[in-house]
């Protein structure tokens, strides 16, 4: 066992001596610390009789094991099946070898993509397709974000193969956890569809991914009964984590009782909303006001409206409870500024925008995300408007062939742009049932 660890240490040290990306070097250092923790743990076991008491020997062993456990958690290396912790696993040669091999795998740097692939796709769509060259990388408020910064790992590539400036949900929760915040390992998913994670596709669902890939517990609610059955078949049986699948249509007046009545905890790690039929801002207010506390909020937004424009719709009892295709040009989703105004009183701050999704975190965790202090407009510009996928909104995304880019044109007075928004809404939605609040920009 000692030779196994010594050989692994030499291999990791050799890897660390090579030029590495910051991420690869960090993983290598964590793997090396884990191996040293395992080595000292073995020594504590082998020489326990040299300590003055059994209690002192046990204390030393637990100290070294805890170091190894922490590094393994950072690298997402799990304790082998049949073992509750690494202290018991290291006494079994096969289990220890499994852990060491996984550490070596995590310490290996990813292969660098060919140089010609790094800039195959622009991170922001060409400036000539944006009014007043808003998406010129030289003038963007987050212009440090370039393809080269996100060249490694599938987590930085979306379904079109475009490298994106978004942190994955796993990365966000890991950063929060490293602030000594205890995760409940519970997620709530309103709109679980068929339960697929969908990583690398257009239907990526971060809540389903946490349940399927990270064994988080989940309350998964889907209004379409056939999709709910598919979710239950995929995630509901034969799993060690608790997965509650419910086929239910939700409304702002029923969602709190439905969710809080099913959950064993009010503190969840993620609340994700994508229901297509009910205004998301109204669902958020109902849940947060009733006491649900999520570390992270993930919801769809209407990305066409540049901050600080606030757009939202009323919900009426006659509204359909499940999604049905509508001939409307504008969808049901509220604007980014509207959702931000709704969640701010509950202590949330916008972290990032992901095309037509946005993520808020509790403001207590902001210091875990250096560089996140840009304003709402900057995050919208980089994450939505200047995202290459935004080109689809004006053509074939579901909302007609209207060119929303005109609403962001800084060369047009804000009042005039507001009137353009209002005019389209009146044609698309009728004279009532919606709101547009235009603060001075």
């Amino acid at each position: 066992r000692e030779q196994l660890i010594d050989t692994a240490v030499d291999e990791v040290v050799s890897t660390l001596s090579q030029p590495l990306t910051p991420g690869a070097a960090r993983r290598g250092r964590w793997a090396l610390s884990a191996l040293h923790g395992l080595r000292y743990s073995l020594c504590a076991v082998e020489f326990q009789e040299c300590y003055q008491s059994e209690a002192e020997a046990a204390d030393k062993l637990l100290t070294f094991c805890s170091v190894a456990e922490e590094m393994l958690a950072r690298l997402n290396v799990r304790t082998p099946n049949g073992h509750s912790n690494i202290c018991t696993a290291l006494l079994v040669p096969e289990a220890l070898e499994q852990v060491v091999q996984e550490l070596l795998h995590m310490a290996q740097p990813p292969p660098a993509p060919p140089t010609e692939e790094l800039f195959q796709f622009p991170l922001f769509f060409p400036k000539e397709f944006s009014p007043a060259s808003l998406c010129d990388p030289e003038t963007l408020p987050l212009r440090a974000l370039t393809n080269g910064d996100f060249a490694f790992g599938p987590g930085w590539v979306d379904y079109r193969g475009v490298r994106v400036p978004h942190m994955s949900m796993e990365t966000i929760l890991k950063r929060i956890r490293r602030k000594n915040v205890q995760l409940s390992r519970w997620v709530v998913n309103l709109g679980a569809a068929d339960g697929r994670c969908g990583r690398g596709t257009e239907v990526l669902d971060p809540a389903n991914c946490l349940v399927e890939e990270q064994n988080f517990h989940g309350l998964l609610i889907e209004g379409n009964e056939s999709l709910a059955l598919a979710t239950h078949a995929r995630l509901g049986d034969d799993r060690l984590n608790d997965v509650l699948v419910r086929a239910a249509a939700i409304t702002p007046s029923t969602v709190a009782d439905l969710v809080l009545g099913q959950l064993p905890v009010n503190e969840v790690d993620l609340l994700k909303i994508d229901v297509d039929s009910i205004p998301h801002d109204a669902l958020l207010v109902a849940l947060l006001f009733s006491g649900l506390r999520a570390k992270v909020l993930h919801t769809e937004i209407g990305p066409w409206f540049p901050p600080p424009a606030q757009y939202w719709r009323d919900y009426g009892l006659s509204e359909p409870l499940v999604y049905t295709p509508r001939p409307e040009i504008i969808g049901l989703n509220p604007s980014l500024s509207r959702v931000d105004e709704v969640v701010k009183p509950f202590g949330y701050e916008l972290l990032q925008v992901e095309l037509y999704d946005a993520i808020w975190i509790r403001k207590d965790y902001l210091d875990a995300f250096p560089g996140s202090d840009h304003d709402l407009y900057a995050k919208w510009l980089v994450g939505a408007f200047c995202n290459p996928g935004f080109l689809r909104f004006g053509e074939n995304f579901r909302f007609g062939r209207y060119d929303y880019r005109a609403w962001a044109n800084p060369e047009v007075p804000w009042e005039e742009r507001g009137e353009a928004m209002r005019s389209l809404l009146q044609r698309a939605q009728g004279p009532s049932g919606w709101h547009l609040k235009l603060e001075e920009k």
Side-chain angles (χ1 to χ4, degrees), residues 6 69 74 107 234 238 285 290 311 318 369:
D6 289 343
E69 288 275 11
R74 291 184 182 183
R234 178 173 279 111
D238 301 324
V285 169
S290 297
Y311 162 73
S318 61
F369 301 90

Side-chain angles (χ1 to χ4, degrees), residues 376-390:
L376 211 67
Y377 178 78
K379 293 176 181 178
W380 171 83
L381 195 63
V382 170
F385 187 81
C386 293
N387 189 305
F390 195 82

Side-chain angles (χ1 to χ4, degrees), residues 27 34 80 124 127 167 229 236 258 400 440:
R27 290 192 299 274
F124 309 108
K127 60 184 180 182
M167 284 177 287
L229 289 173
L258 178 60
E440 185 64 32

Side-chain angles (χ1 to χ4, degrees), residues 296-313:
V296 182
L297 304 174
H298 181 288
T299 183
E300 267 195 347
I301 58 168
W304 317 275
F305 301 92
Q310 293 190 38
Y311 162 73
W312 71 99
R313 283 192 55 156

Side-chain angles (χ1 to χ4, degrees), residues 395-411:
E395 293 295 329
N396 61 347
F397 186 55
R398 195 165 71 200
F399 303 110
R401 300 180 65 83
Y402 185 89
D403 192 348
Y404 301 94
R405 289 173 294 181
W407 295 355
N409 190 351
E411 296 178 350

Side-chain angles (χ1 to χ4, degrees), residues 150-418:
F150 305 99
F152 304 102
W156 300 116
V157 180
D158 73 1
Y159 66 95
R160 292 162 291 121
V162 177
R163 304 193 182 278
V164 293
H166 305 155
M167 284 177 287
S168 68
M169 188 58 63
E170 291 81 1
T171 297
I172 293 171
L173 290 177
K174 283 178 182 177
R175 289 199 181 187
I176 292 174
R177 181 174 175 268
R178 288 173 194 159
K179 300 299 293 183
N180 294 320
V181 176
Q182 184 70 35
L183 298 183
S184 68
R185 298 191 65 83
W186 271 95
V187 303
V188 175
N189 191 354
L190 304 185
D194 62 359
R196 282 187 295 167
C197 165
R199 192 176 298 283
T201 72
E202 192 170 2
V203 292
L204 170 67
D205 188 313
N208 288 344
C209 289
L210 289 175
V211 173
E212 180 180 353
E213 298 178 348
Q214 305 294 330
N215 289 322
F216 274 56
H217 310 302
L219 172 58
L220 313 181
I221 299 177
E222 171 56 45
N224 184 308
E225 188 171 355
S226 62
L227 291 178
L229 289 173
T231 298
H232 187 272
R234 178 173 279 111
L235 300 174
D237 294 322
D238 301 324
R239 298 184 66 88
L240 294 178
N241 48 329
D242 295 327
V243 182
L244 310 176
V245 181
R246 299 291 181 265
I250 55 176
T251 70
S253 60
T254 63
V255 65
D257 288 341
L258 178 60
V259 170
L260 296 175
Q262 299 284 337
L263 284 174
V265 295
N266 285 358
E267 289 272 345
V268 299
D269 296 330
L270 170 64
L271 167 62
K272 178 230 137 188
I273 302 180
D274 178 7
V275 295
D276 285 333
S277 57
I278 305 298
H280 294 176
D281 54 327
L283 295 175
L284 282 166
V285 169
L287 286 169
L288 297 176
F289 184 79
S290 297
L292 183 70
R293 291 289 287 163
K295 296 178 180 65
V296 182
L297 304 174
H298 181 288
T299 183
E300 267 195 347
I301 58 168
W304 317 275
F305 301 92
Q310 293 190 38
Y311 162 73
W312 71 99
R313 283 192 55 156
D314 295 327
Y315 170 74
L317 295 178
S318 61
E319 295 281 348
L321 296 182
V322 294
Y323 173 73
T324 55
R326 292 164 172 260
E328 299 159 348
I329 297 176
I330 299 293
L332 288 173
N333 294 335
S335 68
L336 181 69
S337 293
R338 166 62 178 177
V339 179
D340 191 67
E341 182 173 82
V342 162
V343 301
K344 263 187 180 299
F346 296 96
Y348 291 93
E349 293 288 339
L350 179 68
L351 179 63
Q352 63 189 30
V353 180
E354 304 175 356
L355 199 53
Y356 42 77
D357 295 311
I359 292 178
W360 284 261
I361 60 172
R362 294 188 199 175
K363 61 183 179 182
D364 305 346
Y365 309 145
L366 278 178
D367 59 350
F369 301 90
S372 62
D373 54 348
H374 295 275
D375 62 20
L376 211 67
Y377 178 78
K379 293 176 181 178
W380 171 83
L381 195 63
V382 170
F385 187 81
C386 293
N387 189 305
F390 195 82
L391 289 169
R392 301 170 67 238
F393 292 133
E395 293 295 329
N396 61 347
F397 186 55
R398 195 165 71 200
F399 303 110
R401 300 180 65 83
Y402 185 89
D403 192 348
Y404 301 94
R405 289 173 294 181
W407 295 355
N409 190 351
E411 296 178 350
V412 176
W414 180 242
E415 295 79 8
E416 186 176 332
R417 286 185 274 161

Side-chain angles (χ1 to χ4, degrees), residues 1-10 39 42 96 100:
R1 290 177 295 178
E2 290 83 356
Q3 184 177 1
L4 173 70
I5 293 177
D6 289 343
T7 302
V9 166
D10 291 340
R39 170 190 275 165
L42 281 176
L96 178 61
V100 170

